[in-house]
Structure formats: structure tokens, C-alpha cells
Amino acid sequence: QTVVAAEILPGGVVGRTALAKSSGHDTLDSAALDAIKTWKFGTESEKDEVVPQYVDIPVTFKLEER
């Protein structure tokens, strides 16, 4: 499992990302970071002003043989 720390900007787009916990595999860690950068989130406002949110997102990979 990889854990990605992400900043969610006003409008729900992902800002900065960082690896909070490595899966131990660079390829999986990079895939998790790249995927989360494409996500869009719903945002909540604080006093009618949208503020950035900071979240840790766990990403679990299930690998199957072909």
C-alpha cells in the first residue's frame, strides 16, 4: 500500500502531492502519485471561503498474474 499526501485546492483540483508512505516499489508509488494528480474532489467552504484541504490518501494495488 502506498499513501499519498495531497493538497486539495479550491475548485477541487489536486495541488501538491508527496509520498507519505512507500509501497516499496518505485513503479507503484509513481503510479499512485500520477493517478491522484488527475482526481477532482468536492470541497467544503469555511465562512463562505473555500480553503485548501490536506489529506492522506491510501492507495492499495491488487496485482494479478496474466
Side-chain angles (χ1 to χ4, degrees):
Q1 184 179 54
T2 298
V3 178
V4 176
E7 173 188 42
I8 312 304
L9 300 173
V13 297
V14 177
R16 294 176 290 177
T17 59
L19 195 61
K21 178 184 170 202
S22 174
S23 66
H25 300 278
D26 291 340
T27 302
L28 296 179
D29 293 344
S30 292
L33 287 164
D34 290 343
I36 288 172
K37 289 176 185 174
T38 68
W39 293 4
K40 183 155 176 132
F41 292 81
T43 56
E44 295 183 16
S45 62
E46 182 177 292
K47 297 181 183 177
D48 297 325
E49 182 180 327
V50 178
V51 296
Q53 303 290 313
Y54 301 91
V55 295
D56 286 340
I57 305 168
V59 179
T60 302
F61 293 92
K62 181 178 178 184
L63 303 178
E64 297 178 2
E65 290 187 40
R66 290 188 193 197

